[in-house]
């Protein structure tokens, strides 16, 4: 397939998602939630909306304009080990492989089989030639290169098995927010989306905030009351009850608004239903600290230059690569 044809397939996929009829959409959302209770209908719908926005012709053209895409005479087989923490989290990697002209062999996460299989099916319906470019497999042996996403622990296994091949191996990352004390109530509400969307399971979810003063915390908790319906999700609420009981038994200081716990900690990754916070002395010292922590941070949310605006952490542009590793450049070099 020519590069323009490959791009056209994904543009059409974006439109197919937007034009999805209600019956097919309801069935997809129901099947996804039935397979994984964390993948509520709202979560899956949000993920699909994000993909459809990403697949606009304007965004794809802007992203791919810096690369030299071409027809690949001898496409490589790229083994893709997908995560399953949020719906369709591995879609971008699959898209990169296919747009680069290579063939993708996918080991799906059992947590995210439904949505990914549906997206693959749609790609093949749009252009049957895609069927020869995509294969779902239980084992990823004998590939020419690998892209694997997992935890810090699983990355050690990935390195053991895939390290001798060209590879991109990703580890745990999380996201943080910087509050200066000048935020509005609307900023806090938008930050809530970065905290609660996908129940905090994504690497782009904010798991820690840096505050200028503890006085901000009460205002933040008050603004976040609009997200109280999250406590009706039984798995989320079980995590909240568990973490609250641990803090109470151990007499650990924390703030609580009935569905979110705020706890002071230098750690980056907080448990589900918990938001860590840390007070900083100056923005200069904080920037130095964040620079040191960069290998563990996916994005920094806040107002100001080089920060992701509040409420948009879960809507990355196609050129915003996970772990800041240019996946497309990696794949094109294989050619």
């Amino acid at each position: 397939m020519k590069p323009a044809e490959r791009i056209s397939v994904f543009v059409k996929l974006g439109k197919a998602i937007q034009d999805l009829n209600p019956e097919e959409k309801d069935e997809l959302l129901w099947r996804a939630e039935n397979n994984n209770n964390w993948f509520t209908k709202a979560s899956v719908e949000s993920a699909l909306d994000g993909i459809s926005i990403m697949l606009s012709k304007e965004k794809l053209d802007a992203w791919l304009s810096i690369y030299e895409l071409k027809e690949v005479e001898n496409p490589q087989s790229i083994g893709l080990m997908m995560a399953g923490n949020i719906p369709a989290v591995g879609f971008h990697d699959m898209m990169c492989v296919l747009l680069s002209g290579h063939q993708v062999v996918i080991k799906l996460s059992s947590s995210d089989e439904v949505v990914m299989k549906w997206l693959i099916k749609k790609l093949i319906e749009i252009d049957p030639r895609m069927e020869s470019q995509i294969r779902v497999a239980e084992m990823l042996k004998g590939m020419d290169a690998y892209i694997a996403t997992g935890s810090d622990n699983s990355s050690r296994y990935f390195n053991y098995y895939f390290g001798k091949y060209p590879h991109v191996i990703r580890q745990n990352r999380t996201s943080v927010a910087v509050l200066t004390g000048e935020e509005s109530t609307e900023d806090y509400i938008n930050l809530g989306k970065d905290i609660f969307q996908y129940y905090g399971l994504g690497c782009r979810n904010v798991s820690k905030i840096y505050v200028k003063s503890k006085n901000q915390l009460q205002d933040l908790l008050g603004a976040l009351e609009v997200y109280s319906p999250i406590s009706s999700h039984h798995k989320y609420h079980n995590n909240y009850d568990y973490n609250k009981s641990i803090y109470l038994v151990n007499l650990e200081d924390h703030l609580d608004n009935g569905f979110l716990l705020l706890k002071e900690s230098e750690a980056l990754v907080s448990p589900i239903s918990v938001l860590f916070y840390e007070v900083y002395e100056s923005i200069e010292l904080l920037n130095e600290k964040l620079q040191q922590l960069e290998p563990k941070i996916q994005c920094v949310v806040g107002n100001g230059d080089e920060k992701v605006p509040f409420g948009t952490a879960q809507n990355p542009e196609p050129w915003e690569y996970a772990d800041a590793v240019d996946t497309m450049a990696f794949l094109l070099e294989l050619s």
Side-chain angles (χ1 to χ4, degrees):
M1 297 177 67
K2 296 178 180 178
E5 293 174 321
R6 301 196 295 263
I7 295 170
S8 176
V9 171
F10 282 94
V11 172
K12 290 176 181 177
L13 175 62
K15 292 179 179 177
I17 294 172
Q18 293 172 357
D19 298 337
L20 194 58
N21 70 68
E23 292 80 11
E24 185 178 0
K25 186 175 187 178
D26 285 344
E27 182 191 3
L28 173 62
L29 301 184
W30 178 84
R31 288 193 296 114
E33 186 170 12
N34 191 53
N35 181 67
N36 180 352
N37 292 153
W38 284 115
F39 287 14
T40 60
K41 291 181 178 180
S43 292
V44 176
E45 192 166 20
S46 179
L48 291 174
D49 287 345
I51 290 173
S52 69
I53 293 170
M54 180 189 293
L55 296 182
S56 74
K57 189 175 188 308
E58 294 73 21
K59 286 183 181 292
L60 292 182
D61 286 345
W63 168 39
L64 298 171
S65 63
I66 66 169
Y67 304 102
E68 187 179 349
L69 299 182
K70 54 188 177 182
E71 290 188 71
V72 181
E73 294 183 3
N74 298 302
Q76 306 285 294
S77 293
I78 312 300
L80 186 53
M81 182 76 73
M82 287 192 176
N85 50 322
I86 65 174
V89 67
F91 174 80
H92 189 272
D93 282 336
M94 180 181 73
M95 176 172 66
C96 286
V97 175
L98 294 172
L99 287 174
S100 69
H102 295 302
Q103 297 172 343
V104 63
V105 183
I106 303 170
K107 173 67 172 71
L108 292 172
S109 166
S110 59
S111 300
D112 190 24
E113 287 186 332
V114 173
V115 180
M116 282 306 306
K117 284 183 176 179
W118 182 86
L119 289 166
I120 292 169
K121 178 172 172 285
K122 281 294 176 185
L123 283 171
I124 295 170
E125 287 177 0
I126 291 167
D127 193 322
R129 289 177 294 178
M130 279 288 172
E131 188 167 14
S132 64
Q133 305 301 307
I134 309 171
R135 180 162 61 91
V136 176
E138 285 301 313
M139 301 287 288
L140 296 180
K141 290 185 177 180
M143 301 294 106
D144 297 304
Y146 292 89
I147 300 174
T149 303
S151 65
D152 289 349
N153 287 332
S154 63
S155 69
R156 290 198 291 268
Y157 293 99
F158 295 156
N159 272 304
Y160 177 79
Y161 288 109
F162 307 146
K164 60 184 177 181
Y165 303 95
H167 63 269
V168 172
I169 296 176
R170 304 194 184 97
Q171 301 178 351
N172 282 345
R173 285 210 178 199
T174 192
S175 297
V176 302
V178 175
L179 305 183
T180 63
E182 299 179 0
E183 288 75 21
S184 65
T185 300
E186 184 179 2
D187 287 333
Y188 288 145
I189 292 173
N190 287 333
L191 172 59
K193 186 176 181 181
D194 302 322
I195 297 168
F196 295 115
Q197 193 169 5
Y198 306 125
Y199 301 98
L201 293 167
C203 66
R204 297 184 71 89
N205 280 108
V206 169
S207 61
K208 179 171 183 174
I209 57 173
Y210 291 91
V211 297
K212 187 65 176 172
S213 168
K214 289 185 179 181
N215 295 332
Q216 297 169 256
L217 300 177
Q218 291 293 349
D219 291 338
L220 174 63
L221 282 178
L224 295 181
E225 284 291 335
V226 297
Y227 295 96
S228 61
I230 197 173
S231 63
S232 63
H233 189 281
H234 67 284
K235 284 193 171 185
Y236 180 90
H237 194 75
N238 287 344
N239 278 271
Y240 166 79
D241 284 342
Y242 172 79
N243 289 310
K244 180 177 180 178
S245 66
I246 293 296
Y247 294 157
L248 290 174
V249 168
N250 293 334
L251 302 177
E252 297 184 55
D253 290 339
H254 64 278
L255 296 174
D256 179 7
N257 69 351
F259 60 92
L260 178 67
L261 303 163
L262 259 62
K263 187 176 185 302
E264 191 166 15
S265 174
E266 292 189 359
L268 280 178
V269 183
S270 59
I272 295 171
S273 76
V274 179
L275 180 66
F276 286 155
Y277 72 88
E278 187 174 335
V279 180
Y280 64 91
E281 294 181 16
S282 71
I283 198 68
E284 292 77 18
L285 291 174
L286 176 59
N287 287 337
E288 289 180 12
K289 175 177 284 192
L290 293 178
Q291 190 170 12
Q292 294 172 357
L293 294 171
E294 188 175 0
K296 286 296 180 183
I297 295 176
Q298 189 64 52
C299 62
V300 179
V301 174
N303 288 326
D305 296 337
E306 298 184 359
K307 290 186 176 64
V308 176
F310 291 116
T312 66
Q314 293 294 353
N315 296 304
E317 301 289 359
W319 50 84
E320 293 181 298
Y321 295 100
D323 292 16
V325 175
D326 191 326
T327 315
M328 184 61 76
F330 164 76
L331 291 164
L332 293 177
E333 286 174 5
L334 298 175
S335 300

